[in-house]
Amino acid sequence: MNRSALEEVAHTLGARGKGILAADESTPTISKRLAAVGVESSPEINNAYRDVLLTAPGLERSISGVIFFEETLRQATIGRAVPYPDHLKALGIIPGIKVDKGAKMLAGSSREKVTEGLDGLRERFATYNELGARFAKWRAVIAIEGDAIPSRNALQVNAHALARYAALAQEAGLVPICEPEVLMDGTHSIARAFEVTEAAIKSVYLALHEQGVLLEGTVLKPNMVMSGYDGSEKAGTDEVAAKTLECLKRCVPAAVPSIVFLSGGQTEIEATTHLNRINEMKDAACPWNLSFSFGRALQQTALSTWAGDSSRIPDAQRALLHRARCSGLATTGEYSESVEAGGATAS
Ligand code: 13P
Protein backbone atom coordinates (compact mmCIF):
# COMPACT_ATOMS: atom_id res chain seq x y z
CA MET A 1 0.00 0.00 0.00
CA ASN A 2 1.43 3.36 -1.06
CA ARG A 3 0.13 5.76 1.57
CA SER A 4 0.74 9.00 -0.33
CA ALA A 5 -0.92 7.66 -3.50
CA LEU A 6 -4.03 6.71 -1.50
CA GLU A 7 -4.13 10.13 0.18
CA GLU A 8 -3.73 11.90 -3.15
CA VAL A 9 -6.61 10.00 -4.79
CA ALA A 10 -8.89 10.41 -1.74
CA HIS A 11 -8.29 14.14 -1.77
CA THR A 12 -8.53 14.61 -5.54
CA LEU A 13 -11.90 12.83 -5.77
CA GLY A 14 -13.49 15.58 -3.66
CA ALA A 15 -11.36 18.52 -4.86
CA ARG A 16 -13.02 21.94 -5.05
CA GLY A 17 -15.36 22.38 -7.98
CA LYS A 18 -15.50 18.69 -8.88
CA GLY A 19 -17.15 15.44 -7.86
CA ILE A 20 -17.88 11.88 -8.90
CA LEU A 21 -20.19 10.53 -11.59
CA ALA A 22 -21.69 7.30 -10.23
CA ALA A 23 -22.32 5.28 -13.40
CA ASP A 24 -22.03 1.93 -11.64
CA GLU A 25 -25.60 0.68 -11.79
CA SER A 26 -25.65 -3.09 -11.42
CA THR A 27 -27.29 -5.21 -14.14
CA PRO A 28 -30.74 -5.20 -12.45
CA THR A 29 -30.56 -1.45 -11.73
CA ILE A 30 -29.43 -0.36 -15.21
CA SER A 31 -32.14 -2.62 -16.66
CA LYS A 32 -34.73 -0.78 -14.54
CA ARG A 33 -33.39 2.68 -15.45
CA LEU A 34 -33.27 1.88 -19.19
CA ALA A 35 -36.70 0.23 -19.15
CA ALA A 36 -38.12 3.46 -17.70
CA VAL A 37 -37.16 5.23 -20.97
CA GLY A 38 -38.27 2.33 -23.16
CA VAL A 39 -34.87 0.76 -23.79
CA GLU A 40 -33.99 -2.89 -23.16
CA SER A 41 -30.69 -3.43 -21.38
CA SER A 42 -27.95 -5.65 -22.86
CA PRO A 43 -24.15 -5.40 -22.59
CA GLU A 44 -24.10 -3.56 -25.97
CA ILE A 45 -26.89 -1.14 -25.05
CA ASN A 46 -25.35 -0.51 -21.64
CA ASN A 47 -22.08 0.26 -23.44
CA ALA A 48 -23.84 2.65 -25.81
CA TYR A 49 -25.50 4.50 -22.93
CA ARG A 50 -22.35 4.72 -20.82
CA ASP A 51 -20.51 5.96 -23.92
CA VAL A 52 -22.91 8.92 -24.14
CA LEU A 53 -21.95 9.86 -20.57
CA LEU A 54 -18.24 9.14 -20.68
CA THR A 55 -17.50 10.87 -23.99
CA ALA A 56 -19.39 14.07 -23.16
CA PRO A 57 -16.90 16.76 -24.25
CA GLY A 58 -15.47 18.66 -21.28
CA LEU A 59 -16.69 16.17 -18.66
CA GLU A 60 -13.37 16.59 -16.87
CA ARG A 61 -14.17 20.21 -16.01
CA SER A 62 -16.55 19.15 -13.20
CA ILE A 63 -15.96 15.41 -12.80
CA SER A 64 -13.01 14.08 -10.77
CA GLY A 65 -13.84 10.38 -10.94
CA VAL A 66 -16.29 7.90 -12.43
CA ILE A 67 -17.52 4.74 -10.70
CA PHE A 68 -17.96 1.85 -13.12
CA PHE A 69 -19.84 -1.38 -12.86
CA GLU A 70 -17.41 -4.23 -13.70
CA GLU A 71 -18.96 -4.66 -17.16
CA THR A 72 -18.01 -1.07 -18.13
CA LEU A 73 -14.49 -1.33 -16.71
CA ARG A 74 -13.90 -3.97 -19.40
CA GLN A 75 -15.62 -2.07 -22.23
CA ALA A 76 -14.27 0.59 -24.61
CA THR A 77 -15.37 3.80 -26.30
CA ILE A 78 -17.63 3.17 -29.27
CA GLY A 79 -15.76 5.43 -31.69
CA ARG A 80 -12.09 4.62 -31.20
CA ALA A 81 -12.29 1.51 -29.04
CA VAL A 82 -10.25 3.01 -26.21
CA PRO A 83 -10.75 1.03 -22.97
CA TYR A 84 -12.77 3.26 -20.65
CA PRO A 85 -10.16 3.38 -17.86
CA ASP A 86 -7.58 4.66 -20.42
CA HIS A 87 -10.10 7.08 -21.91
CA LEU A 88 -10.75 8.60 -18.47
CA LYS A 89 -7.11 8.70 -17.47
CA ALA A 90 -6.28 10.67 -20.61
CA LEU A 91 -8.84 13.25 -19.45
CA GLY A 92 -7.46 13.38 -15.91
CA ILE A 93 -10.55 11.63 -14.50
CA ILE A 94 -9.93 8.83 -11.99
CA PRO A 95 -11.57 5.45 -12.78
CA GLY A 96 -13.27 3.56 -9.95
CA ILE A 97 -15.20 0.32 -9.53
CA LYS A 98 -18.22 -0.82 -7.56
CA VAL A 99 -17.13 -4.05 -5.91
CA ASP A 100 -20.02 -5.10 -3.67
CA LYS A 101 -22.44 -7.78 -4.81
CA GLY A 102 -25.54 -6.06 -3.53
CA ALA A 103 -27.62 -6.06 -0.35
CA LYS A 104 -29.18 -9.41 0.60
CA MET A 105 -31.63 -10.29 3.37
CA LEU A 106 -29.90 -10.56 6.72
CA ALA A 107 -30.23 -14.05 8.23
CA GLY A 108 -32.83 -14.04 10.96
CA SER A 109 -34.53 -10.89 9.68
CA SER A 110 -37.28 -10.45 7.13
CA ARG A 111 -36.72 -6.73 6.74
CA GLU A 112 -33.05 -5.82 7.06
CA LYS A 113 -30.19 -6.34 4.64
CA VAL A 114 -26.45 -6.91 4.68
CA THR A 115 -24.20 -6.27 1.70
CA GLU A 116 -22.36 -9.25 0.26
CA GLY A 117 -19.24 -9.59 -1.89
CA LEU A 118 -16.28 -10.22 0.41
CA ASP A 119 -15.49 -13.76 -0.81
CA GLY A 120 -12.74 -13.62 -3.42
CA LEU A 121 -12.48 -9.85 -3.11
CA ARG A 122 -8.68 -9.84 -2.67
CA GLU A 123 -8.31 -11.58 -6.05
CA ARG A 124 -10.88 -9.31 -7.71
CA PHE A 125 -9.06 -6.24 -6.39
CA ALA A 126 -5.82 -7.43 -8.01
CA THR A 127 -7.65 -7.68 -11.36
CA TYR A 128 -9.36 -4.29 -10.97
CA ASN A 129 -6.02 -2.69 -10.17
CA GLU A 130 -4.55 -4.17 -13.36
CA LEU A 131 -7.54 -2.89 -15.35
CA GLY A 132 -6.79 0.63 -14.10
CA ALA A 133 -9.23 1.25 -11.23
CA ARG A 134 -7.79 3.52 -8.55
CA PHE A 135 -10.71 3.62 -6.16
CA ALA A 136 -13.66 1.41 -5.21
CA LYS A 137 -17.16 1.64 -3.81
CA TRP A 138 -19.14 -0.57 -1.43
CA ARG A 139 -22.71 0.33 -0.51
CA ALA A 140 -24.45 -0.76 2.68
CA VAL A 141 -28.20 -0.20 2.80
CA ILE A 142 -29.83 0.87 6.05
CA ALA A 143 -33.62 1.13 6.12
CA ILE A 144 -35.62 3.05 8.71
CA GLU A 145 -38.86 1.49 9.98
CA GLY A 146 -40.29 2.77 13.25
CA ASP A 147 -38.09 2.69 16.33
CA ALA A 148 -36.82 -0.88 15.99
CA ILE A 149 -35.22 -0.73 12.53
CA PRO A 150 -32.35 -0.47 11.95
CA SER A 151 -31.32 -2.92 14.63
CA ARG A 152 -27.94 -2.63 16.30
CA ASN A 153 -27.04 -5.93 14.63
CA ALA A 154 -27.78 -4.62 11.12
CA LEU A 155 -25.62 -1.55 11.72
CA GLN A 156 -22.77 -3.62 13.11
CA VAL A 157 -22.65 -6.32 10.43
CA ASN A 158 -22.83 -3.75 7.64
CA ALA A 159 -20.08 -1.66 9.24
CA HIS A 160 -17.93 -4.75 9.74
CA ALA A 161 -18.30 -5.70 6.05
CA LEU A 162 -17.54 -2.13 4.95
CA ALA A 163 -14.35 -2.16 7.01
CA ARG A 164 -13.27 -5.56 5.67
CA TYR A 165 -13.77 -4.26 2.14
CA ALA A 166 -11.93 -1.01 2.92
CA ALA A 167 -8.92 -2.83 4.35
CA LEU A 168 -8.71 -5.10 1.28
CA ALA A 169 -9.06 -2.11 -1.07
CA GLN A 170 -6.15 -0.29 0.56
CA GLU A 171 -4.04 -3.45 0.60
CA ALA A 172 -4.51 -3.56 -3.21
CA GLY A 173 -3.71 0.17 -3.56
CA LEU A 174 -7.27 1.38 -4.19
CA VAL A 175 -9.04 4.10 -2.20
CA PRO A 176 -12.22 2.72 -0.61
CA ILE A 177 -15.37 4.82 -0.79
CA CYS A 178 -17.45 3.72 2.19
CA GLU A 179 -21.17 4.17 1.59
CA PRO A 180 -23.49 3.49 4.51
CA GLU A 181 -26.71 4.67 2.82
CA VAL A 182 -29.59 5.40 5.15
CA LEU A 183 -32.62 5.23 2.87
CA MET A 184 -35.04 8.13 2.66
CA ASP A 185 -37.99 5.84 1.94
CA GLY A 186 -40.64 5.97 4.63
CA THR A 187 -42.50 8.42 6.80
CA HIS A 188 -39.75 9.14 9.33
CA SER A 189 -38.91 12.62 10.59
CA ILE A 190 -35.62 14.39 9.95
CA ALA A 191 -34.84 13.86 13.66
CA ARG A 192 -35.08 10.07 13.17
CA ALA A 193 -32.96 10.28 10.00
CA PHE A 194 -30.36 12.19 12.00
CA GLU A 195 -30.32 9.62 14.80
CA VAL A 196 -29.94 6.68 12.40
CA THR A 197 -27.36 8.38 10.16
CA GLU A 198 -25.30 9.26 13.24
CA ALA A 199 -25.42 5.67 14.50
CA ALA A 200 -24.60 4.25 11.05
CA ILE A 201 -21.59 6.51 10.42
CA LYS A 202 -20.24 6.06 13.94
CA SER A 203 -20.46 2.27 13.54
CA VAL A 204 -18.47 2.55 10.31
CA TYR A 205 -15.65 4.59 11.87
CA LEU A 206 -15.43 2.25 14.85
CA ALA A 207 -15.09 -0.74 12.48
CA LEU A 208 -12.56 1.08 10.25
CA HIS A 209 -10.46 1.81 13.33
CA GLU A 210 -10.67 -1.76 14.62
CA GLN A 211 -9.58 -3.13 11.23
CA GLY A 212 -6.64 -0.77 10.81
CA VAL A 213 -7.92 1.21 7.83
CA LEU A 214 -5.95 4.38 7.03
CA LEU A 215 -8.60 7.11 7.23
CA GLU A 216 -6.50 9.57 5.21
CA GLY A 217 -6.86 7.19 2.27
CA THR A 218 -10.65 6.77 2.42
CA VAL A 219 -13.72 8.67 1.21
CA LEU A 220 -17.14 8.66 2.93
CA LYS A 221 -20.28 8.55 0.78
CA PRO A 222 -23.23 9.35 3.05
CA ASN A 223 -26.84 10.31 2.54
CA MET A 224 -27.90 13.84 3.35
CA VAL A 225 -29.98 14.01 6.54
CA MET A 226 -33.56 14.46 5.30
CA SER A 227 -37.17 13.69 6.23
CA GLY A 228 -38.61 10.45 4.83
CA TYR A 229 -40.07 10.86 1.35
CA ASP A 230 -43.56 9.80 2.48
CA GLY A 231 -43.69 11.81 5.70
CA SER A 232 -46.19 14.60 6.25
CA GLU A 233 -43.60 17.19 7.29
CA LYS A 234 -40.66 17.90 4.98
CA ALA A 235 -37.63 19.69 6.34
CA GLY A 236 -36.57 22.64 4.17
CA THR A 237 -33.19 23.26 2.55
CA ASP A 238 -31.66 25.12 5.51
CA GLU A 239 -32.65 22.42 7.97
CA VAL A 240 -31.35 19.62 5.73
CA ALA A 241 -28.02 21.42 5.35
CA ALA A 242 -27.73 22.26 9.06
CA LYS A 243 -28.63 18.75 10.24
CA THR A 244 -26.35 17.11 7.71
CA LEU A 245 -23.39 19.23 8.83
CA GLU A 246 -24.19 18.71 12.52
CA CYS A 247 -24.32 14.97 12.01
CA LEU A 248 -21.05 14.84 10.06
CA LYS A 249 -19.27 16.96 12.68
CA ARG A 250 -20.25 14.44 15.33
CA CYS A 251 -19.12 11.40 13.38
CA VAL A 252 -16.43 11.97 10.77
CA PRO A 253 -12.79 12.32 11.85
CA ALA A 254 -10.83 15.27 10.46
CA ALA A 255 -8.38 12.79 8.93
CA VAL A 256 -10.93 11.93 6.22
CA PRO A 257 -10.15 14.12 3.16
CA SER A 258 -13.41 13.94 1.22
CA ILE A 259 -17.10 13.37 1.84
CA VAL A 260 -19.17 12.83 -1.31
CA PHE A 261 -22.95 12.69 -1.02
CA LEU A 262 -25.21 10.25 -2.84
CA SER A 263 -28.41 11.72 -4.28
CA GLY A 264 -30.68 8.86 -3.19
CA GLY A 265 -33.71 9.65 -5.32
CA GLN A 266 -33.79 13.42 -4.84
CA THR A 267 -34.51 15.39 -7.99
CA GLU A 268 -31.53 16.82 -9.79
CA ILE A 269 -32.27 20.36 -8.61
CA GLU A 270 -33.05 19.29 -5.03
CA ALA A 271 -29.76 17.40 -4.67
CA THR A 272 -27.78 20.31 -6.14
CA THR A 273 -29.55 22.90 -3.99
CA HIS A 274 -28.92 20.90 -0.82
CA LEU A 275 -25.23 20.41 -1.65
CA ASN A 276 -24.86 24.10 -2.37
CA ARG A 277 -26.44 25.10 0.95
CA ILE A 278 -24.27 22.58 2.80
CA ASN A 279 -21.19 24.25 1.34
CA GLU A 280 -22.51 27.74 2.10
CA MET A 281 -23.16 26.81 5.73
CA LYS A 282 -20.03 24.79 6.48
CA ASP A 283 -17.63 26.31 9.01
CA ALA A 284 -14.13 25.84 10.35
CA ALA A 285 -15.24 22.68 12.17
CA CYS A 286 -15.84 21.03 8.77
CA PRO A 287 -12.34 20.21 7.50
CA TRP A 288 -13.36 17.82 4.70
CA ASN A 289 -14.12 18.45 1.03
CA LEU A 290 -17.92 18.28 0.72
CA SER A 291 -18.76 17.10 -2.77
CA PHE A 292 -20.98 14.72 -4.71
CA SER A 293 -21.04 11.17 -6.02
CA PHE A 294 -24.40 11.38 -7.74
CA GLY A 295 -25.99 8.73 -9.92
CA ARG A 296 -29.54 9.75 -10.70
CA ALA A 297 -29.01 13.45 -9.90
CA LEU A 298 -26.46 13.66 -12.72
CA GLN A 299 -28.00 11.23 -15.18
CA GLN A 300 -31.79 11.61 -15.05
CA THR A 301 -32.28 14.22 -17.77
CA ALA A 302 -29.40 12.88 -19.87
CA LEU A 303 -30.93 9.40 -19.84
CA SER A 304 -34.46 10.50 -20.72
CA THR A 305 -33.10 12.81 -23.44
CA TRP A 306 -31.07 10.01 -25.03
CA ALA A 307 -33.64 7.21 -24.57
CA GLY A 308 -31.79 5.00 -27.05
CA ASP A 309 -31.85 7.52 -29.92
CA SER A 310 -28.34 8.21 -31.25
CA SER A 311 -29.46 11.47 -32.88
CA ARG A 312 -30.09 12.82 -29.35
CA ILE A 313 -26.57 12.13 -28.07
CA PRO A 314 -25.39 15.78 -28.26
CA ASP A 315 -28.48 16.96 -26.33
CA ALA A 316 -28.09 14.20 -23.75
CA GLN A 317 -24.43 15.11 -23.29
CA ARG A 318 -25.32 18.78 -22.87
CA ALA A 319 -27.83 17.78 -20.18
CA LEU A 320 -25.19 15.76 -18.33
CA LEU A 321 -22.61 18.55 -18.60
CA HIS A 322 -25.11 21.05 -17.25
CA ARG A 323 -25.83 18.88 -14.21
CA ALA A 324 -22.11 18.26 -13.69
CA ARG A 325 -21.40 21.99 -13.89
CA CYS A 326 -24.23 22.86 -11.48
CA SER A 327 -23.07 20.16 -9.03
CA GLY A 328 -19.47 21.34 -9.34
CA LEU A 329 -20.52 24.89 -8.50
CA ALA A 330 -22.51 23.54 -5.53
CA THR A 331 -19.25 22.25 -4.03
CA THR A 332 -18.16 25.86 -3.61
CA GLY A 333 -21.55 27.39 -2.79
CA GLU A 334 -21.67 29.15 -6.18
CA TYR A 335 -24.74 27.39 -7.60
CA SER A 336 -27.79 29.60 -8.06
CA GLU A 337 -31.12 29.76 -9.85
CA SER A 338 -29.52 31.74 -12.64
CA VAL A 339 -26.81 29.12 -13.11
CA GLU A 340 -29.58 26.52 -13.24
CA ALA A 341 -31.61 28.59 -15.69
CA GLY A 342 -28.54 28.88 -17.93
CA GLY A 343 -29.57 25.36 -18.88
CA ALA A 344 -27.69 23.02 -21.12
CA THR A 345 -26.47 25.90 -23.28
CA ALA A 346 -24.32 27.33 -20.48
CA SER A 347 -22.10 24.28 -20.25
P1 13P B 1 -27.75 7.97 -6.47
O1 13P B 1 -27.05 9.30 -6.47
O2 13P B 1 -28.68 7.76 -7.63
O3 13P B 1 -28.36 7.66 -5.13
O4 13P B 1 -26.63 6.86 -6.71
C1 13P B 1 -25.44 7.00 -6.06
C2 13P B 1 -24.90 5.67 -5.76
O5 13P B 1 -23.83 5.34 -6.20
C3 13P B 1 -25.66 4.78 -4.90
O6 13P B 1 -24.87 3.70 -4.53
Side-chain angles (χ1 to χ4, degrees), residues 161-186:
L162 266 166
R164 283 197 60 200
Y165 136 83
L168 282 165
Q170 289 190 338
E171 182 187 272
L174 279 77
V175 165
I177 295 187
C178 296
E179 180 180 6
E181 176 175 2
V182 177
L183 298 176
M184 298 165 210
D185 304 306

Side-chain angles (χ1 to χ4, degrees), residues 324-344:
R325 175 169 180 266
C326 289
S327 305
L329 289 171
T331 69
T332 56
E334 291 170 279
Y335 170 69
S336 64
E337 280 179 15
S338 65
V339 169
E340 184 62 56

Side-chain angles (χ1 to χ4, degrees), residues 112-188:
E112 296 190 283
K113 293 183 171 175
V114 62
T115 300
E116 297 190 347
L118 290 168
D119 287 356
L121 187 54
R122 175 175 277 132
E123 292 72 27
R124 286 203 283 136
F125 266 133
T127 307
Y128 299 148
N129 194 341
E130 272 170 34
L131 288 169
R134 292 293 168 262
F135 70 99
K137 185 192 98 172
W138 178 287
R139 172 176 177 254
V141 182
I142 311 292
I144 300 181
E145 261 185 64
D147 291 337
I149 290 183
S151 64
R152 189 74 212 128
N153 183 43
L155 292 177
Q156 279 172 352
V157 293
N158 274 296
H160 188 263
L162 266 166
R164 283 197 60 200
Y165 136 83
L168 282 165
Q170 289 190 338
E171 182 187 272
L174 279 77
V175 165
I177 295 187
C178 296
E179 180 180 6
E181 176 175 2
V182 177
L183 298 176
M184 298 165 210
D185 304 306
T187 56
H188 55 268

Side-chain angles (χ1 to χ4, degrees), residues 160-225:
H160 188 263
L162 266 166
R164 283 197 60 200
Y165 136 83
L168 282 165
Q170 289 190 338
E171 182 187 272
L174 279 77
V175 165
I177 295 187
C178 296
E179 180 180 6
E181 176 175 2
V182 177
L183 298 176
M184 298 165 210
D185 304 306
T187 56
H188 55 268
S189 64
I190 189 168
R192 179 76 178 131
F194 184 101
E195 184 178 65
V196 172
T197 304
E198 181 180 7
I201 297 177
K202 282 187 171 159
S203 304
V204 170
Y205 283 107
L206 179 61
L208 291 176
H209 170 68
E210 284 170 341
Q211 296 191 43
V213 174
L214 175 76
L215 293 185
E216 289 83 350
T218 62
V219 172
L220 176 69
K221 177 165 173 167
N223 50 285
M224 297 174 189
V225 176

Side-chain angles (χ1 to χ4, degrees), residues 22 24 137 139 179 181 221 262-265 293-297:
D24 60 328
K137 185 192 98 172
R139 172 176 177 254
E179 180 180 6
E181 176 175 2
K221 177 165 173 167
L262 60 95
S263 60
S293 174
F294 293 159
R296 286 161 286 180

